[in-house]
């Protein structure tokens, strides 16, 4: 089954995802579908709500050589750096549109891993960026919610008119 991305403004993209009680075969199957969808984009991360699965699941692979997917259930930020970085972000849920977004440059994330055990991992660079982006999706937020109201309104109006820009 090929995963289909929800399109903004689908109301599911604005809702917080439900916590995962345990990592089981169903969760592992969802993760596998998410990895396939992420690779097909291609992208470096994906949250389950992006494909209509309203569970707190995310996958990230920001490695240069690929094949190092981090599977996370119930991810939460433990800490973030004071240092900030601006990087261009986009989402398959609003294709063809993107914006520069300011986020902490590094973070520590806590999550249930593929074995169902709690783990913590310190991240920086694109790993930190993608994890924060996915956690936003799990909370019902898109990257453009981090923009000023003016920039967000301009971006969404261009998207409505079908004007693609970078």
């Amino acid at each position: 089954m090929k995963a289909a991305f929800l399109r903004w403004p689908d109301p599911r993209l604005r809702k917080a995802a439900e916590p995962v009680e345990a990592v089981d075969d169903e969760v592992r199957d969802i993760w596998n579908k998410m990895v396939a969808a992420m690779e097909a984009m291609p992208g470096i991360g994906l949250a389950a709500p992006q494909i209509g699965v309203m569970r707190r699941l995310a996958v990230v692979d920001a490695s240069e050589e690929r094949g190092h997917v981090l599977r996370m259930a119930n991810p939460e930020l433990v800490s973030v750096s004071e240092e900030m970085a601006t990087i261009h972000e986009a989402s398959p849920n609003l294709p063809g549109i993107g914006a520069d977004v300011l986020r902490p440059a590094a973070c520590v994330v806590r999550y249930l891993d593929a074995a169902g055990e709690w783990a913590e991992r310190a991240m920086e660079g694109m790993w930190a960026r993608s994890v924060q982006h996915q956690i936003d999706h799990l909370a019902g937020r898109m990257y453009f919610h981090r923009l000023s109201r003016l920039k967000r309104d301009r971006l969404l109006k261009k998207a409505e008119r079908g004007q693609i820009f970078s």
Side-chain angles (χ1 to χ4, degrees):
M1 177 183 123
K2 185 177 178 185
F5 295 102
L6 300 180
R7 296 295 289 258
W8 182 264
D10 189 299
R12 291 172 286 181
L13 293 169
R14 300 178 196 185
K15 291 184 180 174
E18 295 294 322
V20 172
E21 296 299 322
V23 174
D24 55 18
D25 288 342
E26 179 187 9
V27 165
R28 289 182 190 95
D29 185 52
I30 295 168
W31 272 331
N32 289 339
K33 289 175 182 158
M34 291 171 63
V35 170
M38 176 183 70
E39 293 298 338
M41 278 191 275
I44 62 169
L46 189 68
Q50 292 182 268
I51 59 171
V53 178
M54 301 308 295
R55 307 208 35 210
R56 290 189 57 80
L57 297 170
V59 295
V60 173
D61 186 352
S63 62
E64 288 183 32
E65 64 280 358
R66 305 301 282 188
H68 298 282
V69 178
L70 177 62
R71 291 165 169 83
M72 298 175 288
N74 303 328
E76 57 189 43
L77 293 174
V78 174
S79 63
V80 295
S81 66
E82 289 184 26
E83 179 186 353
M84 303 291 281
T86 299
I87 298 177
H88 193 78
E89 293 189 25
S91 173
N93 305 108
L94 190 64
I97 303 295
D100 292 339
V101 178
L102 181 67
R103 292 187 189 267
C107 67
V108 175
V109 65
R110 181 175 187 261
Y111 57 94
L112 284 173
D113 65 16
E117 300 294 326
W118 283 103
E120 276 191 18
R121 182 168 167 177
M123 299 181 185
E124 59 185 26
M126 292 307 291
W127 284 95
R129 168 69 49 166
S130 185
V131 164
Q132 293 172 70
H133 182 108
Q134 306 323 318
I135 289 173
D136 276 356
H137 274 299
L138 297 174
R141 292 175 49 122
M142 297 276 289
Y143 68 91
F144 53 76
H145 288 116
R146 294 194 169 269
L147 303 175
S148 70
R149 182 182 265 318
L150 178 63
K151 287 182 180 179
R152 180 174 58 241
D153 289 348
R154 283 182 183 163
L155 182 135
L156 292 175
K157 281 182 182 166
K158 287 186 181 200
E160 287 173 11
R161 290 189 303 249
Q163 295 177 347
I164 298 172
F165 67 98
S166 56

